[in-house]
Amino acid sequence: MRAAWPAFMASCGVLVKRSDWKESCTIARQVNADSDKAIRLFFETFFVPNQVVAADGANTGLVTGYYEPLLHGARKRGGPYQTPLYKVPDDLVSVDLSGVYPELKNMRLRGKLVGKKVIPYATRADIERATSVTGKELLWVDDEVEAFFLQVQGSGRVQLTDTQETVRVAYADQNGHPYKSIGRYLVDKGELTLSQASAQGIKAWIAGHPTRKDELFNANPSYVFFKEERLPDPKVGPKGALGVPLTPQRSVAIDSRYVPLGAPVFLSTTQANSDIPMQRLVMAQDTGGAIRGPIRVDYFFGFGAEAAENAGRMKQSGAVWVLLPKQAPAR
């Protein structure tokens, strides 16, 4: 429980401003952060666990993993650094419709303004060919495959050889097209089996089929744009959708239409590519384009080679309980 407490207090930094969380988050400040017993008593006293069940009655769903990758790059194009990471284009329009249509909370309309109409923004394939993003290069990296997977992860770090610094590239916006799994594309094409469609398996397939790389990447029309952030403390994770830094192995991405962003979540699943049980308290602090459905969890493994290895192989079944303050009605 102690390992989950810093992540919970990070959530409370945002949730304390809401009436249904104010009491529990205020009391949490007085809890002894070094005492498993005190932390457990706090959650048992002030929260009610609610198991998440899908509309069809299913009580288990897919648990995957993600991590913060490290890429190698430069501020100026040259040598091996030929793949750009782009900033948000000037012509990308993002509209929050929840003020007019409350049922569309957490949904944004993204597109391009042509005359008085908003039309769909360019797909991945169109962006790669377009000149509209010319001049919006944020950084240049040396690996097109790793740049693609950086977009899947949503954020990462880039070690810059020309300035000898390491910076964080964080999610800034997205082109509005739905995320499509390239692993699923390869399975549907009969190129890989479901068990082979891990990040490692996909990268191995690309290495063996270099002429089909663009075909594969363009099967996912979604495209992510980045912004640069300083990296004052390498131990601190990237910020998730809640706006707080993610905690390795204690933060998860969820679909906020079903699970409240910021809430404690008890996750019952198994370790990556194994039958070894993994049951722990985590915090719903992020969202993702591929994370859709009531019982759909993306587990944040952190930064580094081990995190990348585990995240790439994480494709488990799991059950989820959301802990809500007792005075708040369960959804």
Side-chain angles (χ1 to χ4, degrees), residues 65-78:
Y66 69 121
Y67 70 104
E68 188 179 21
L70 175 66
L71 284 76
H72 300 278
R75 293 199 178 277
K76 295 183 179 180
R77 184 179 189 177

Side-chain angles (χ1 to χ4, degrees), residues 172-321:
D173 214 329
Q174 184 259 357
N175 65 341
H177 290 271
Y179 171 87
K180 299 289 186 183
S181 167
I182 61 171
R184 170 56 63 183
Y185 178 82
L186 290 174
V187 170
D188 290 345
K189 290 283 186 180
E191 299 287 342
L192 295 178
T193 64
L194 199 57
S195 63
Q196 293 171 330
S198 63
Q200 293 87 343
I202 294 169
K203 289 178 182 180
W205 184 92
I206 294 171
H209 303 80
T211 60
R212 296 182 62 188
K213 181 174 57 181
D214 289 344
E215 170 202 339
L216 180 62
F217 288 170
N218 291 339
N220 175 25
S222 174
Y223 198 95
V224 171
F225 303 104
F226 296 99
K227 59 185 175 183
E228 181 182 329
E229 294 182 349
R230 292 191 310 111
L231 191 66
D233 185 353
K235 295 179 181 178
V236 176
K239 288 182 180 179
L242 186 66
V244 302
L246 302 176
T247 302
Q249 303 200 46
R250 292 292 172 173
S251 296
V252 296
I254 45 78
D255 188 337
S256 58
R257 295 175 299 174
Y258 303 98
V259 175
L261 199 56
V265 169
F266 186 79
L267 174 65
S268 179
T269 183
T270 49
Q271 293 182 19
N273 199 29
S274 81
D275 295 323
I276 301 171
M278 185 175 78
Q279 299 174 326
R280 61 181 54 184
L281 188 65
V282 294
M283 303 298 147
Q285 295 176 329
D286 205 2
T287 58
I291 313 307
R292 292 288 180 263
I295 315 172
R296 178 68 178 91
V297 175
D298 208 16
Y299 183 85
F300 180 64
F301 279 96
F303 172 76
E306 185 179 353
E309 180 71 17
N310 285 323
R313 299 188 185 282
M314 188 75 173
K315 195 178 293 182
Q316 315 300 113
S317 176
V320 169
W321 288 259

Side-chain angles (χ1 to χ4, degrees), residues 43-99:
F43 282 115
E44 290 177 349
T45 302
F46 294 101
F47 288 82
V48 176
N50 302 272
Q51 185 167 14
V52 181
V53 179
D56 62 2
N59 58 14
T60 60
L62 178 64
V63 182
T64 53
Y66 69 121
Y67 70 104
E68 188 179 21
L70 175 66
L71 284 76
H72 300 278
R75 293 199 178 277
K76 295 183 179 180
R77 184 179 189 177
Y81 309 112
Q82 298 293 325
T83 300
L85 305 179
Y86 287 112
K87 295 182 280 189
V88 179
D90 296 331
D91 59 349
L92 177 64
V93 176
S94 181
V95 182
D96 183 355
L97 299 173
S98 61

